[in-house]
Amino acid sequence: MKKDITTMDDVKLLVNSFYDKIQIDGMLGGIFHGHIKDWPTHLEKMYRFWQTLLLDEITYMSNSFEPHKNFPIDQKHFDRWMDLWKRTIDEHFEGEKAEEAKMRAERIAMVFLSKIIHIREQKAAQ
C-alpha cells in the first residue's frame, strides 16, 4: 500500500522523481535545461516550495511565477507538466495530501498560463 505525503523525505521523493521525468521528456526537457543551470539549487527550492504548500512548514518565500514568465510554453506544455506530475504522485503516493498536491499543481498551472498569456498580449499590444 502506498502512503500519503507527510514528511520532507516524501516531498523530496516526489520532487526528485518528477524532475527526473522532466529532464528526459521530449517536450519539456529542453525548456527546463535551457532555463535551469544549477539543478541541485533548483531542486532545493522545489523541496521548500512543496514543503510549504503540502506540509504547512513555511520555508519558501519567493515569487514562484517570476522565473517562468518568459518561458516559451503554452497549454500543451502545462498539460504535459500536469500529466507527469500526476503520474509521479500516483506512482509513489495516495491519500489526502497526494490529492492536494495534484489540485494545487492544477491551480498553479492555470494561474501561470493565464499570466504568461497576459504578458504576451501586453507585449504584442506595445
Side-chain angles (χ1 to χ4, degrees), residues 12-66:
K12 287 181 178 182
L13 174 61
L14 172 59
V15 169
N16 289 338
S17 299
F18 174 68
Y19 280 102
D20 285 347
K21 289 177 178 58
I22 288 286
Q23 290 184 57
I24 61 170
D25 186 72
M27 180 185 290
L28 299 176
I31 295 167
F32 277 81
H33 283 296
H35 287 76
I36 297 171
K37 304 303 180 207
D38 180 356
W39 278 97
T41 299
H42 178 71
L43 293 174
E44 285 293 328
K45 192 179 295 186
M46 292 300 92
Y47 302 152
R48 292 190 314 274
F49 178 78
W50 287 105
Q51 177 185 25
T52 298
L53 291 181
L54 298 175
L55 304 181
D56 298 320
E57 299 170 8
I58 310 303
T59 58
Y60 183 86
M61 304 289 219
S62 298
N63 178 340
S64 60
F65 174 71
E66 187 65 25

Side-chain angles (χ1 to χ4, degrees), residues 70-81:
N70 294 312
F71 274 29
I73 53 179
D74 56 29
Q75 184 67 57
K76 69 179 180 279
H77 297 95
F78 281 101
D79 291 345
R80 181 68 179 151
W81 183 78

Side-chain angles (χ1 to χ4, degrees), residues 118-126:
H118 178 72
I119 289 169
R120 287 179 188 158
E121 288 172 350
Q122 293 285 54
K123 287 180 180 177
Q126 293 176 351

Side-chain angles (χ1 to χ4, degrees), residues 52-113:
T52 298
L53 291 181
L54 298 175
L55 304 181
D56 298 320
E57 299 170 8
I58 310 303
T59 58
Y60 183 86
M61 304 289 219
S62 298
N63 178 340
S64 60
F65 174 71
E66 187 65 25
H68 302 88
K69 70 180 184 180
N70 294 312
F71 274 29
I73 53 179
D74 56 29
Q75 184 67 57
K76 69 179 180 279
H77 297 95
F78 281 101
D79 291 345
R80 181 68 179 151
W81 183 78
M82 281 305 308
D83 177 59
L84 292 173
W85 181 250
K86 288 178 180 179
R87 276 199 283 146
T88 303
I89 291 169
D90 290 341
E91 285 172 10
H92 299 283
F93 303 103
E94 64 184 12
E96 184 178 324
K97 288 293 181 178
E99 293 306 311
E100 181 181 344
K102 293 176 193 177
M103 179 269 304
R104 286 184 177 264
E106 286 175 348
R107 288 183 183 167
I108 291 165
M110 185 174 25
V111 169
F112 277 26
L113 181 58

